[in-house]
Amino acid sequence: MNWLAMPFSMLARFLRGVCALIFAALLMAVLWGVFTRQVLGDQPAWTEELARFLLVWLALLGGVLAYLEDKHLGVDVLVARFHPSAQKVSRITIHVCVLGFALAVLVWGGSDLFRLRWELGQTMPSLGIRKAWFYLILPLSGILISLVAVAKIATPRHPRSGEEAAR
Amino acid sequence: MNIGLTVLLVSFATLLILEAPVAFTIGLATLLGALALGQTSSTVSVASDIANGLDSFPLLAIPFFILAGELMAAGGLARRLIDFAASVVGRMPGGLALVNTLTCMLFGAVSGSAAAAISSIGTSLIPEMEKKGYPRNFSVALTTTAATTGLLIPPSNVMIVYALVASNVSVGALFVAGIFPGVLTGVALMAVALIASRRFAARQERDGGGSSAITVPPFWLSFFRALPSLLMLVLVLAVILGGIMTPTESSALAVLWALLLVCVFYREIRWRALPAILASSARTTGVVLLLVGTSTAMSRLLTMEQVPQLAATALLGVSDSPLIILLLINAALLLVGIFMDMTPALLVFTPIFLPVAIGIGMDPVHFGIVMIANLCIGLCTPPVGSCLFLGCSVGRTSISQVVPAAIPFFIAMLLALLAITYIPAISLALPRLFGLL
């Protein structure tokens, strides 16, 4: 029944690793900015730009991780009183809605945005890379959320991540 | 009401009832509202609002304060702050309840997040309080409400969010302005806890526990053990007020300080455990920031649909007395807080209510404190109350059992809110003293 448990916990481990790396890099970028300004007297412009880039990537990947591990905030009083079969229907409905949002906004809207920015050829002033890369996280996280949503729809008792199974 | 707003509200309510994650609920409701208005390329505009809403340097303070909070929660700060609080108020009747409140205030303050306070203080103090005869639901209600005072006492994540939408408001001034309101709310909660614990005293004595049966550590010893944690508060405020760092950078400093504390000074966390803490902080960051992203999109749609102007006309049409308008805004925010978490509520409703507040002569710093004090109540009320949920899961009890026990605390918070709203000096005296206004 839990044929998705394996790939799920692998995805969760991978995401946790990536998120930890981004978070550490984010911290270093900001602290380096302070250090260079206050101690060396000259703050390079890339620290802030890199920090904002990493922040958006961290936010969306962290959002995927939270969805994967069912940590997003939501109302938690009504559905528990429903009939079990109605509970199942409502659970599936939510994941369909999440799937719809991820596909429409993140994947579709996000990849449009990526393409538009790519065609504009705008670059980030101090990092020297295309601004389009900044928006790539939208379709990327959209695809990940869609995959997780499909898996949650397919296995109504959705597989838990490794961390939660261990508890 | 126009069709776009109707679609937005109906889909928001429906998704909320189905218990969809709030971040996605807000995003999807915004998308449907924009589609109903017949806007071209709604999907692209929502997507770009999410990305551009998050692309802001001040927001960086959110992940950093979350990380600092998780480090402190894992690193044994709770115990040291509990000992310190016990040495201050532990001897009084109802001592343990007071210790709980004070510790939550201190921990919420140094970590900048209420969630970290609930999980670390609650885990150790709720079982302790039960042993001493306090009903579990009472302890959960107390911990949950007391932890939100940490959002008023600096440093505070939500103040940075408010400063982000309310332009021309200095985070430094907000931080300093929050100190007295936070302490006032905490004292109000302590008063309720004291009165309530008299009722439990009889039972305690029957059980042979004795109401003063908690161990009270010596003041100076516990003070020096807790001092490095308390210094965090001073350090963060000092670098901001001294103009050495921006509030965002100070949050990175808070992380560094927390790392130093838990890995080097207290030695409670091994370096090897850090990636796991980073990852779970990243997950919490994702929860909060996805809300920020989708709320930005919703806020922009509401602004485009002239909702701030509509709200202003409606409010000013009821009365032109500032007293009544503030009462109405507070009532509206309480209602909002019931259905929305604090961060999205600040992002969506600050642009709507702040112009009205400024119009009746209110200082934006004071209004920010009022909004946060108000929405703190919403964090503890169902159906959307992240602190209440966390408190219940930490205390292993259910929302329906905790809410009756929490009602006296809600009343205390409401009274404190009224005082904060109508006596501007509570918020503004301190920033004026420091020359921040």
Side-chain angles (χ1 to χ4, degrees), chain A residues 76-77 81, chain B residues 135-145 192 199 338 377-393 397-413:
Chain A
D76 192 17
V77 275
R81 298 176 189 191
Chain B
R136 172 167 288 242
N137 295 321
F138 168 84
S139 314
V140 171
L142 177 65
T143 312
T144 307
T145 46
V192 170
R199 272 196 299 140
I338 289 176
I377 303 175
L379 287 178
C380 309
T381 53
V384 184
S386 50
C387 287
L388 180 69
F389 294 168
L390 188 61
C392 288
S393 84
T397 172
S398 74
I399 290 170
S400 51
Q401 283 177 298
V402 170
V403 169
I407 286 171
F409 296 114
F410 291 156
I411 294 172
M413 290 174 92

mmCIF file of all heavy atoms in Angstrom, chain A residues 76-77 81, chain B residues 135-145 192 199 338 377-393 397-413:
data_model
loop_
_atom_site.group_PDB
_atom_site.id
_atom_site.type_symbol
_atom_site.label_atom_id
_atom_site.label_comp_id
_atom_site.label_asym_id
_atom_site.label_seq_id
_atom_site.Cartn_x
_atom_site.Cartn_y
_atom_site.Cartn_z
ATOM 1 N N ASP A 76 -8.420 23.239 11.678
ATOM 2 C CA ASP A 76 -8.277 21.876 12.187
ATOM 3 C C ASP A 76 -9.390 21.521 13.163
ATOM 4 O O ASP A 76 -9.130 20.958 14.206
ATOM 5 C CB ASP A 76 -6.908 21.754 12.863
ATOM 6 C CG ASP A 76 -6.543 20.317 13.159
ATOM 7 O OD1 ASP A 76 -7.183 19.431 12.567
ATOM 8 O OD2 ASP A 76 -5.647 20.103 13.973
ATOM 9 N N VAL A 77 -10.616 21.901 12.868
ATOM 10 C CA VAL A 77 -11.667 21.581 13.829
ATOM 11 C C VAL A 77 -12.848 20.847 13.215
ATOM 12 O O VAL A 77 -13.475 20.019 13.868
ATOM 13 C CB VAL A 77 -12.205 22.849 14.530
ATOM 14 C CG1 VAL A 77 -11.339 23.210 15.704
ATOM 15 C CG2 VAL A 77 -12.346 23.994 13.579
ATOM 16 N N ARG A 81 -14.867 15.892 12.504
ATOM 17 C CA ARG A 81 -16.205 15.467 12.943
ATOM 18 C C ARG A 81 -17.026 14.873 11.810
ATOM 19 O O ARG A 81 -18.141 14.407 12.036
ATOM 20 C CB ARG A 81 -16.954 16.677 13.527
ATOM 21 C CG ARG A 81 -16.243 17.207 14.736
ATOM 22 C CD ARG A 81 -16.880 18.436 15.276
ATOM 23 N NE ARG A 81 -15.989 18.988 16.297
ATOM 24 C CZ ARG A 81 -16.310 19.946 17.138
ATOM 25 N NH1 ARG A 81 -17.509 20.455 17.093
ATOM 26 N NH2 ARG A 81 -15.453 20.369 18.031
ATOM 27 N N PRO B 135 -4.855 22.111 36.384
ATOM 28 C CA PRO B 135 -5.451 21.331 35.304
ATOM 29 C C PRO B 135 -4.668 21.560 34.013
ATOM 30 O O PRO B 135 -4.193 22.672 33.759
ATOM 31 C CB PRO B 135 -6.864 21.918 35.164
ATOM 32 C CG PRO B 135 -7.099 22.715 36.379
ATOM 33 C CD PRO B 135 -5.767 23.105 36.929
ATOM 34 N N ARG B 136 -4.532 20.489 33.253
ATOM 35 C CA ARG B 136 -3.734 20.555 32.024
ATOM 36 C C ARG B 136 -4.234 21.620 31.045
ATOM 37 O O ARG B 136 -3.443 22.365 30.473
ATOM 38 C CB ARG B 136 -3.789 19.168 31.376
ATOM 39 C CG ARG B 136 -3.185 19.083 30.022
ATOM 40 C CD ARG B 136 -3.025 17.629 29.670
ATOM 41 N NE ARG B 136 -1.949 17.054 30.456
ATOM 42 C CZ ARG B 136 -0.842 16.552 29.902
ATOM 43 N NH1 ARG B 136 -0.704 16.558 28.602
ATOM 44 N NH2 ARG B 136 0.103 16.048 30.646
ATOM 45 N N ASN B 137 -5.567 21.723 30.911
ATOM 46 C CA ASN B 137 -6.098 22.678 29.944
ATOM 47 C C ASN B 137 -5.791 24.118 30.340
ATOM 48 O O ASN B 137 -5.559 24.973 29.504
ATOM 49 C CB ASN B 137 -7.604 22.500 29.777
ATOM 50 C CG ASN B 137 -7.908 21.144 29.183
ATOM 51 O OD1 ASN B 137 -7.195 20.683 28.306
ATOM 52 N ND2 ASN B 137 -8.945 20.502 29.692
ATOM 53 N N PHE B 138 -5.793 24.357 31.654
ATOM 54 C CA PHE B 138 -5.429 25.673 32.157
ATOM 55 C C PHE B 138 -3.986 25.991 31.765
ATOM 56 O O PHE B 138 -3.688 27.071 31.251
ATOM 57 C CB PHE B 138 -5.596 25.695 33.683
ATOM 58 C CG PHE B 138 -4.994 26.889 34.369
ATOM 59 C CD1 PHE B 138 -5.694 28.080 34.466
ATOM 60 C CD2 PHE B 138 -3.724 26.819 34.927
ATOM 61 C CE1 PHE B 138 -5.138 29.182 35.097
ATOM 62 C CE2 PHE B 138 -3.161 27.922 35.555
ATOM 63 C CZ PHE B 138 -3.871 29.100 35.647
ATOM 64 N N SER B 139 -3.086 25.038 31.974
ATOM 65 C CA SER B 139 -1.671 25.269 31.670
ATOM 66 C C SER B 139 -1.460 25.503 30.184
ATOM 67 O O SER B 139 -0.667 26.367 29.794
ATOM 68 C CB SER B 139 -0.827 24.075 32.105
ATOM 69 O OG SER B 139 -1.183 23.662 33.377
ATOM 70 N N VAL B 140 -2.167 24.716 29.350
ATOM 71 C CA VAL B 140 -2.016 24.888 27.901
ATOM 72 C C VAL B 140 -2.507 26.275 27.493
ATOM 73 O O VAL B 140 -1.841 26.990 26.740
ATOM 74 C CB VAL B 140 -2.787 23.791 27.137
ATOM 75 C CG1 VAL B 140 -2.818 24.093 25.653
ATOM 76 C CG2 VAL B 140 -2.150 22.436 27.385
ATOM 77 N N ALA B 141 -3.664 26.674 28.042
ATOM 78 C CA ALA B 141 -4.222 27.987 27.698
ATOM 79 C C ALA B 141 -3.265 29.090 28.115
ATOM 80 O O ALA B 141 -3.020 30.040 27.372
ATOM 81 C CB ALA B 141 -5.582 28.177 28.371
ATOM 82 N N LEU B 142 -2.688 28.944 29.301
ATOM 83 C CA LEU B 142 -1.764 29.968 29.808
ATOM 84 C C LEU B 142 -0.512 30.052 28.936
ATOM 85 O O LEU B 142 -0.097 31.131 28.514
ATOM 86 C CB LEU B 142 -1.381 29.652 31.257
ATOM 87 C CG LEU B 142 -0.367 30.602 31.891
ATOM 88 C CD1 LEU B 142 -0.939 31.992 32.010
ATOM 89 C CD2 LEU B 142 0.072 30.104 33.256
ATOM 90 N N THR B 143 0.095 28.895 28.650
ATOM 91 C CA THR B 143 1.317 28.886 27.847
ATOM 92 C C THR B 143 1.062 29.510 26.476
ATOM 93 O O THR B 143 1.852 30.324 25.991
ATOM 94 C CB THR B 143 1.814 27.438 27.643
ATOM 95 O OG1 THR B 143 1.822 26.785 28.907
ATOM 96 C CG2 THR B 143 3.185 27.404 27.044
ATOM 97 N N THR B 144 -0.059 29.108 25.856
ATOM 98 C CA THR B 144 -0.360 29.579 24.510
ATOM 99 C C THR B 144 -0.515 31.093 24.479
ATOM 100 O O THR B 144 0.078 31.774 23.644
ATOM 101 C CB THR B 144 -1.671 28.922 24.026
ATOM 102 O OG1 THR B 144 -1.548 27.522 24.177
ATOM 103 C CG2 THR B 144 -1.941 29.261 22.594
ATOM 104 N N THR B 145 -1.312 31.635 25.425
ATOM 105 C CA THR B 145 -1.559 33.072 25.384
ATOM 106 C C THR B 145 -0.296 33.838 25.809
ATOM 107 O O THR B 145 0.028 34.858 25.213
ATOM 108 C CB THR B 145 -2.734 33.462 26.290
ATOM 109 O OG1 THR B 145 -2.576 32.809 27.542
ATOM 110 C CG2 THR B 145 -4.049 33.051 25.679
ATOM 111 N N VAL B 192 -4.658 37.101 35.827
ATOM 112 C CA VAL B 192 -5.693 36.076 35.654
ATOM 113 C C VAL B 192 -5.206 34.741 36.197
ATOM 114 O O VAL B 192 -5.928 34.027 36.901
ATOM 115 C CB VAL B 192 -6.069 35.939 34.166
ATOM 116 C CG1 VAL B 192 -6.957 34.728 33.949
ATOM 117 C CG2 VAL B 192 -6.769 37.194 33.694
ATOM 118 N N ARG B 199 -8.181 28.932 42.946
ATOM 119 C CA ARG B 199 -9.192 27.877 42.890
ATOM 120 C C ARG B 199 -8.547 26.493 42.984
ATOM 121 O O ARG B 199 -9.126 25.558 43.479
ATOM 122 C CB ARG B 199 -9.968 27.972 41.575
ATOM 123 C CG ARG B 199 -11.176 28.888 41.645
ATOM 124 C CD ARG B 199 -12.073 28.615 40.477
ATOM 125 N NE ARG B 199 -11.378 28.866 39.216
ATOM 126 C CZ ARG B 199 -11.498 28.113 38.137
ATOM 127 N NH1 ARG B 199 -12.293 27.059 38.163
ATOM 128 N NH2 ARG B 199 -10.847 28.400 37.034
ATOM 129 N N ILE B 338 -9.458 35.657 13.788
ATOM 130 C CA ILE B 338 -10.067 34.347 13.992
ATOM 131 C C ILE B 338 -9.842 33.462 12.777
ATOM 132 O O ILE B 338 -9.621 32.268 12.891
ATOM 133 C CB ILE B 338 -11.574 34.513 14.317
ATOM 134 C CG1 ILE B 338 -11.722 35.111 15.715
ATOM 135 C CG2 ILE B 338 -12.311 33.192 14.220
ATOM 136 C CD1 ILE B 338 -13.140 35.415 16.105
ATOM 137 N N ILE B 377 -4.408 37.783 19.799
ATOM 138 C CA ILE B 377 -5.575 37.064 20.315
ATOM 139 C C ILE B 377 -6.028 36.033 19.287
ATOM 140 O O ILE B 377 -6.349 34.901 19.625
ATOM 141 C CB ILE B 377 -6.705 38.061 20.658
ATOM 142 C CG1 ILE B 377 -6.179 39.089 21.658
ATOM 143 C CG2 ILE B 377 -7.926 37.322 21.203
ATOM 144 C CD1 ILE B 377 -7.170 40.190 21.989
ATOM 145 N N GLY B 378 -6.012 36.455 18.004
ATOM 146 C CA GLY B 378 -6.419 35.549 16.938
ATOM 147 C C GLY B 378 -5.532 34.316 16.820
ATOM 148 O O GLY B 378 -5.974 33.269 16.344
ATOM 149 N N LEU B 379 -4.269 34.436 17.266
ATOM 150 C CA LEU B 379 -3.370 33.278 17.194
ATOM 151 C C LEU B 379 -3.806 32.183 18.164
ATOM 152 O O LEU B 379 -3.396 31.036 18.044
ATOM 153 C CB LEU B 379 -1.934 33.700 17.540
ATOM 154 C CG LEU B 379 -1.193 34.513 16.499
ATOM 155 C CD1 LEU B 379 0.175 34.894 17.013
ATOM 156 C CD2 LEU B 379 -1.055 33.716 15.212
ATOM 157 N N CYS B 380 -4.613 32.583 19.157
ATOM 158 C CA CYS B 380 -5.019 31.616 20.185
ATOM 159 C C CYS B 380 -6.473 31.191 20.048
ATOM 160 O O CYS B 380 -6.999 30.528 20.933
ATOM 161 C CB CYS B 380 -4.808 32.218 21.571
ATOM 162 S SG CYS B 380 -3.190 32.894 21.805
ATOM 163 N N THR B 381 -7.154 31.643 18.984
ATOM 164 C CA THR B 381 -8.556 31.264 18.833
ATOM 165 C C THR B 381 -8.739 30.322 17.648
ATOM 166 O O THR B 381 -8.078 30.493 16.624
ATOM 167 C CB THR B 381 -9.440 32.505 18.579
ATOM 168 O OG1 THR B 381 -8.895 33.233 17.488
ATOM 169 C CG2 THR B 381 -9.520 33.399 19.798
ATOM 170 N N PRO B 382 -9.605 29.326 17.766
ATOM 171 C CA PRO B 382 -9.941 28.511 16.604
ATOM 172 C C PRO B 382 -10.820 29.332 15.661
ATOM 173 O O PRO B 382 -11.363 30.345 16.106
ATOM 174 C CB PRO B 382 -10.734 27.349 17.211
ATOM 175 C CG PRO B 382 -11.299 27.883 18.485
ATOM 176 C CD PRO B 382 -10.375 28.960 18.955
ATOM 177 N N PRO B 383 -11.010 28.970 14.408
ATOM 178 C CA PRO B 383 -10.477 27.772 13.759
ATOM 179 C C PRO B 383 -9.047 27.925 13.243
ATOM 180 O O PRO B 383 -8.388 26.927 13.030
ATOM 181 C CB PRO B 383 -11.431 27.570 12.576
ATOM 182 C CG PRO B 383 -11.915 28.934 12.247
ATOM 183 C CD PRO B 383 -11.972 29.682 13.546
ATOM 184 N N VAL B 384 -8.563 29.162 13.010
ATOM 185 C CA VAL B 384 -7.174 29.297 12.561
ATOM 186 C C VAL B 384 -6.388 29.962 13.675
ATOM 187 O O VAL B 384 -6.430 31.172 13.835
ATOM 188 C CB VAL B 384 -7.065 30.144 11.275
ATOM 189 C CG1 VAL B 384 -5.625 30.168 10.796
ATOM 190 C CG2 VAL B 384 -7.950 29.578 10.193
ATOM 191 N N GLY B 385 -5.702 29.194 14.474
ATOM 192 C CA GLY B 385 -4.889 29.762 15.539
ATOM 193 C C GLY B 385 -3.653 28.909 15.686
ATOM 194 O O GLY B 385 -3.654 27.894 16.379
ATOM 195 N N SER B 386 -2.574 29.347 15.036
ATOM 196 C CA SER B 386 -1.403 28.471 14.984
ATOM 197 C C SER B 386 -0.853 28.200 16.383
ATOM 198 O O SER B 386 -0.396 27.096 16.670
ATOM 199 C CB SER B 386 -0.326 29.083 14.090
ATOM 200 O OG SER B 386 -0.099 30.420 14.462
ATOM 201 N N CYS B 387 -0.911 29.215 17.279
ATOM 202 C CA CYS B 387 -0.377 29.002 18.622
ATOM 203 C C CYS B 387 -1.252 28.025 19.402
ATOM 204 O O CYS B 387 -0.752 27.173 20.136
ATOM 205 C CB CYS B 387 -0.310 30.323 19.370
ATOM 206 S SG CYS B 387 1.009 31.366 18.767
ATOM 207 N N LEU B 388 -2.560 28.157 19.227
ATOM 208 C CA LEU B 388 -3.476 27.251 19.915
ATOM 209 C C LEU B 388 -3.239 25.799 19.475
ATOM 210 O O LEU B 388 -3.177 24.887 20.291
ATOM 211 C CB LEU B 388 -4.919 27.661 19.627
ATOM 212 C CG LEU B 388 -6.001 26.814 20.269
ATOM 213 C CD1 LEU B 388 -6.009 27.011 21.768
ATOM 214 C CD2 LEU B 388 -7.365 27.143 19.704
ATOM 215 N N PHE B 389 -3.088 25.609 18.152
ATOM 216 C CA PHE B 389 -2.856 24.250 17.634
ATOM 217 C C PHE B 389 -1.594 23.664 18.249
ATOM 218 O O PHE B 389 -1.555 22.526 18.712
ATOM 219 C CB PHE B 389 -2.676 24.257 16.112
ATOM 220 C CG PHE B 389 -3.896 24.665 15.356
ATOM 221 C CD1 PHE B 389 -3.830 24.950 14.010
ATOM 222 C CD2 PHE B 389 -5.125 24.760 15.994
ATOM 223 C CE1 PHE B 389 -4.960 25.341 13.314
ATOM 224 C CE2 PHE B 389 -6.248 25.150 15.316
ATOM 225 C CZ PHE B 389 -6.172 25.444 13.964
ATOM 226 N N LEU B 390 -0.543 24.494 18.240
ATOM 227 C CA LEU B 390 0.744 24.028 18.746
ATOM 228 C C LEU B 390 0.635 23.715 20.235
ATOM 229 O O LEU B 390 1.089 22.668 20.698
ATOM 230 C CB LEU B 390 1.801 25.098 18.493
ATOM 231 C CG LEU B 390 3.227 24.690 18.787
ATOM 232 C CD1 LEU B 390 3.608 23.530 17.902
ATOM 233 C CD2 LEU B 390 4.166 25.852 18.556
ATOM 234 N N GLY B 391 -0.017 24.627 20.984
ATOM 235 C CA GLY B 391 -0.192 24.421 22.416
ATOM 236 C C GLY B 391 -0.923 23.112 22.693
ATOM 237 O O GLY B 391 -0.530 22.337 23.565
ATOM 238 N N CYS B 392 -1.981 22.849 21.925
ATOM 239 C CA CYS B 392 -2.750 21.627 22.126
ATOM 240 C C CYS B 392 -1.923 20.402 21.805
ATOM 241 O O CYS B 392 -2.027 19.381 22.485
ATOM 242 C CB CYS B 392 -4.004 21.640 21.253
ATOM 243 S SG CYS B 392 -5.221 22.794 21.852
ATOM 244 N N SER B 393 -1.081 20.483 20.760
ATOM 245 C CA SER B 393 -0.323 19.285 20.422
ATOM 246 C C SER B 393 0.805 19.078 21.424
ATOM 247 O O SER B 393 1.113 17.938 21.780
ATOM 248 C CB SER B 393 0.171 19.339 18.971
ATOM 249 O OG SER B 393 1.362 20.050 18.881
ATOM 250 N N THR B 397 -3.760 17.740 24.315
ATOM 251 C CA THR B 397 -5.159 17.914 24.654
ATOM 252 C C THR B 397 -5.867 18.432 23.403
ATOM 253 O O THR B 397 -5.219 18.580 22.360
ATOM 254 C CB THR B 397 -5.319 18.867 25.853
ATOM 255 O OG1 THR B 397 -6.687 19.157 26.027
ATOM 256 C CG2 THR B 397 -4.570 20.160 25.641
ATOM 257 N N SER B 398 -7.179 18.684 23.505
ATOM 258 C CA SER B 398 -7.875 19.078 22.287
ATOM 259 C C SER B 398 -8.333 20.524 22.382
ATOM 260 O O SER B 398 -8.490 21.080 23.470
ATOM 261 C CB SER B 398 -9.073 18.171 22.050
ATOM 262 O OG SER B 398 -10.073 18.514 22.963
ATOM 263 N N ILE B 399 -8.530 21.112 21.202
ATOM 264 C CA ILE B 399 -8.896 22.524 21.128
ATOM 265 C C ILE B 399 -10.185 22.783 21.896
ATOM 266 O O ILE B 399 -10.283 23.743 22.664
ATOM 267 C CB ILE B 399 -9.030 22.941 19.652
ATOM 268 C CG1 ILE B 399 -7.644 22.949 19.010
ATOM 269 C CG2 ILE B 399 -9.677 24.312 19.521
ATOM 270 C CD1 ILE B 399 -7.649 23.096 17.523
ATOM 271 N N SER B 400 -11.176 21.876 21.740
ATOM 272 C CA SER B 400 -12.473 22.134 22.371
ATOM 273 C C SER B 400 -12.363 22.124 23.900
ATOM 274 O O SER B 400 -13.156 22.757 24.585
ATOM 275 C CB SER B 400 -13.488 21.107 21.902
ATOM 276 O OG SER B 400 -12.961 19.816 22.060
ATOM 277 N N GLN B 401 -11.360 21.432 24.443
ATOM 278 C CA GLN B 401 -11.196 21.437 25.900
ATOM 279 C C GLN B 401 -10.425 22.657 26.394
ATOM 280 O O GLN B 401 -10.650 23.128 27.506
ATOM 281 C CB GLN B 401 -10.452 20.172 26.346
ATOM 282 C CG GLN B 401 -11.326 18.933 26.347
ATOM 283 C CD GLN B 401 -10.511 17.723 26.716
ATOM 284 O OE1 GLN B 401 -9.570 17.360 26.012
ATOM 285 N NE2 GLN B 401 -10.860 17.096 27.817
ATOM 286 N N VAL B 402 -9.499 23.135 25.558
ATOM 287 C CA VAL B 402 -8.660 24.248 26.001
ATOM 288 C C VAL B 402 -9.414 25.571 25.939
ATOM 289 O O VAL B 402 -9.251 26.417 26.815
ATOM 290 C CB VAL B 402 -7.368 24.325 25.159
ATOM 291 C CG1 VAL B 402 -6.614 25.607 25.441
ATOM 292 C CG2 VAL B 402 -6.494 23.125 25.452
ATOM 293 N N VAL B 403 -10.263 25.731 24.910
ATOM 294 C CA VAL B 403 -10.904 27.034 24.706
ATOM 295 C C VAL B 403 -11.664 27.543 25.936
ATOM 296 O O VAL B 403 -11.479 28.701 26.330
ATOM 297 C CB VAL B 403 -11.766 27.020 23.428
ATOM 298 C CG1 VAL B 403 -12.629 28.272 23.355
ATOM 299 C CG2 VAL B 403 -10.866 26.952 22.203
ATOM 300 N N PRO B 404 -12.483 26.708 26.609
ATOM 301 C CA PRO B 404 -13.149 27.244 27.807
ATOM 302 C C PRO B 404 -12.157 27.731 28.857
ATOM 303 O O PRO B 404 -12.359 28.789 29.470
ATOM 304 C CB PRO B 404 -13.936 26.040 28.338
ATOM 305 C CG PRO B 404 -14.088 25.126 27.176
ATOM 306 C CD PRO B 404 -12.897 25.336 26.311
ATOM 307 N N ALA B 405 -11.056 26.993 29.017
ATOM 308 C CA ALA B 405 -10.051 27.402 30.007
ATOM 309 C C ALA B 405 -9.352 28.680 29.583
ATOM 310 O O ALA B 405 -8.794 29.404 30.413
ATOM 311 C CB ALA B 405 -9.029 26.286 30.198
ATOM 312 N N ALA B 406 -9.363 28.959 28.265
ATOM 313 C CA ALA B 406 -8.618 30.113 27.771
ATOM 314 C C ALA B 406 -9.423 31.402 27.838
ATOM 315 O O ALA B 406 -8.855 32.482 27.708
ATOM 316 C CB ALA B 406 -8.160 29.860 26.333
ATOM 317 N N ILE B 407 -10.737 31.286 28.034
ATOM 318 C CA ILE B 407 -11.583 32.486 27.970
ATOM 319 C C ILE B 407 -11.140 33.591 28.937
ATOM 320 O O ILE B 407 -11.015 34.747 28.528
ATOM 321 C CB ILE B 407 -13.072 32.109 28.116
ATOM 322 C CG1 ILE B 407 -13.515 31.454 26.804
ATOM 323 C CG2 ILE B 407 -13.932 33.338 28.405
ATOM 324 C CD1 ILE B 407 -14.874 30.841 26.826
ATOM 325 N N PRO B 408 -10.836 33.274 30.218
ATOM 326 C CA PRO B 408 -10.361 34.360 31.093
ATOM 327 C C PRO B 408 -9.102 35.037 30.558
ATOM 328 O O PRO B 408 -8.954 36.260 30.674
ATOM 329 C CB PRO B 408 -10.049 33.641 32.407
ATOM 330 C CG PRO B 408 -10.786 32.360 32.346
ATOM 331 C CD PRO B 408 -10.948 32.000 30.918
ATOM 332 N N PHE B 409 -8.230 34.260 29.923
ATOM 333 C CA PHE B 409 -7.006 34.846 29.374
ATOM 334 C C PHE B 409 -7.316 35.737 28.180
ATOM 335 O O PHE B 409 -6.693 36.780 27.993
ATOM 336 C CB PHE B 409 -6.014 33.756 28.985
ATOM 337 C CG PHE B 409 -5.534 32.947 30.157
ATOM 338 C CD1 PHE B 409 -5.845 31.600 30.270
ATOM 339 C CD2 PHE B 409 -4.787 33.547 31.158
ATOM 340 C CE1 PHE B 409 -5.418 30.866 31.358
ATOM 341 C CE2 PHE B 409 -4.351 32.817 32.251
ATOM 342 C CZ PHE B 409 -4.679 31.471 32.353
ATOM 343 N N PHE B 410 -8.293 35.321 27.363
ATOM 344 C CA PHE B 410 -8.702 36.171 26.242
ATOM 345 C C PHE B 410 -9.206 37.516 26.760
ATOM 346 O O PHE B 410 -8.914 38.565 26.194
ATOM 347 C CB PHE B 410 -9.816 35.515 25.414
ATOM 348 C CG PHE B 410 -9.379 34.303 24.636
ATOM 349 C CD1 PHE B 410 -10.277 33.323 24.256
ATOM 350 C CD2 PHE B 410 -8.051 34.154 24.263
ATOM 351 C CE1 PHE B 410 -9.866 32.219 23.539
ATOM 352 C CE2 PHE B 410 -7.629 33.047 23.546
ATOM 353 C CZ PHE B 410 -8.545 32.076 23.182
ATOM 354 N N ILE B 411 -9.987 37.456 27.867
ATOM 355 C CA ILE B 411 -10.523 38.707 28.418
ATOM 356 C C ILE B 411 -9.375 39.613 28.874
ATOM 357 O O ILE B 411 -9.362 40.812 28.599
ATOM 358 C CB ILE B 411 -11.502 38.407 29.572
ATOM 359 C CG1 ILE B 411 -12.724 37.679 28.997
ATOM 360 C CG2 ILE B 411 -11.934 39.689 30.280
ATOM 361 C CD1 ILE B 411 -13.686 37.148 30.025
ATOM 362 N N ALA B 412 -8.366 38.999 29.512
ATOM 363 C CA ALA B 412 -7.211 39.795 29.947
ATOM 364 C C ALA B 412 -6.519 40.434 28.750
ATOM 365 O O ALA B 412 -6.134 41.607 28.783
ATOM 366 C CB ALA B 412 -6.232 38.913 30.703
ATOM 367 N N MET B 413 -6.369 39.637 27.654
ATOM 368 C CA MET B 413 -5.702 40.176 26.473
ATOM 369 C C MET B 413 -6.518 41.307 25.863
ATOM 370 O O MET B 413 -5.974 42.306 25.388
ATOM 371 C CB MET B 413 -5.476 39.072 25.431
ATOM 372 C CG MET B 413 -4.438 38.050 25.846
ATOM 373 S SD MET B 413 -4.330 36.689 24.667
ATOM 374 C CE MET B 413 -3.044 37.279 23.581
#
